[in-house]
Amino acid sequence: MDETKIELISDFLDAEVLNAFINFLEEKNECINCADVIAKSFGATNKISEMSVEDDKKLLTSFKKNLTLLVQKTWVEKSDIALKDELLYHLENFKTSDSSWKDDFEPFLNIINNAVLLMFGQSTESDDFVEYSLRIDPEFGIFWWYISNLPPKANWTEEKCRVATLIGMYFLSNY
């Protein structure tokens, strides 16, 4: 994790929440209770780690619906229409089978990254996008910092992949 970005993000998070983020994002640290602190910082009232299968399904439905609307409403250049259509296809087909959370972790990150790319353009790939997003919307900036620090291919347990994905879905379902 980039120490400069940790210092930057610490201006927007209290120490407990920042430590929860850092501990959760460590490769070898399970820290499922950290996920509850992170989700609470995004407005969750219940422990995300204790959500039932039915709660997961409701959140998934809400996530897909809200992100689909957001993507559909996003104006894009002609050159990005294919990416938009592909994103909507992948979003519609995300987590529709009995696949594991671990198997769906990488596709989830691809969906999020492509959605943010459509909304903000190539600037998302710059090193200072976290700082930019924190300035325009601190809540989104914190979310983007979280997403950008998730490993592209997590060598995590099924449960850690589940709660990591649920945190992202929760934020976008309520954004």
Side-chain angles (χ1 to χ4, degrees):
M1 235 177 285
D2 184 338
E3 290 297 321
T4 306
K5 289 185 179 156
I6 290 175
E7 192 174 308
L8 174 67
I9 205 80
S10 69
D11 292 340
F12 297 89
L13 294 172
D14 67 38
E16 177 192 14
V17 175
L18 180 60
N19 287 332
F21 273 105
I22 292 168
N23 288 329
F24 184 75
L25 292 168
E26 285 181 8
E27 182 81 24
K28 295 177 181 168
N29 193 349
E30 190 69 7
C31 202
I32 298 302
N33 62 325
C34 295
D36 295 328
V37 174
I38 295 166
K40 186 177 179 182
S41 76
F42 288 148
T45 55
N46 297 326
K47 291 186 174 188
I48 209 154
S49 64
E50 295 177 2
M51 287 176 51
S52 68
V53 171
E54 200 55 42
D55 292 334
D56 290 359
K57 287 179 183 177
K58 286 178 186 175
L59 181 57
L60 177 62
T61 300
S62 178
F63 164 72
K64 285 180 165 185
K65 189 183 302 181
N66 288 352
L67 193 55
T68 297
L69 286 171
L70 184 62
V71 170
Q72 287 173 337
K73 301 285 183 202
T74 299
W75 182 87
V76 296
E77 299 284 342
K78 280 187 177 185
S79 60
D80 289 331
I81 290 174
L83 176 61
K84 184 176 183 177
D85 291 342
E86 182 182 331
L87 173 59
L88 290 169
Y89 172 80
H90 288 294
L91 183 57
E92 181 180 331
N93 292 294
F94 175 68
K95 201 84 180 121
T96 56
S97 65
D98 290 331
S99 59
S100 71
W101 288 99
K102 193 169 186 163
D103 290 341
D104 287 330
F105 184 77
E106 187 177 347
F108 171 74
L109 289 179
N110 289 332
I111 288 169
I112 300 306
N113 284 314
N114 285 330
V116 173
L117 178 65
L118 281 179
M119 291 185 284
F120 292 96
Q122 297 298 321
S123 65
T124 60
E125 297 171 357
S126 72
D127 287 340
D128 63 345
F129 185 69
V130 168
E131 183 177 351
Y132 169 76
S133 62
L134 283 165
R135 279 188 281 131
I136 62 168
D137 183 348
E139 197 173 70
F140 179 79
I142 292 165
F143 166 75
W144 184 249
W145 176 80
Y146 166 72
I147 291 294
S148 64
N149 277 290
L150 290 171
K153 294 181 190 249
N155 190 20
W156 289 346
T157 65
E158 174 74 8
E159 182 62 11
K160 188 166 180 178
C161 288
R162 176 184 162 269
V163 296
T165 303
L166 291 174
I167 289 169
M169 288 179 10
Y170 180 83
F171 178 84
L172 289 171
S173 295
N174 294 288
Y175 185 64

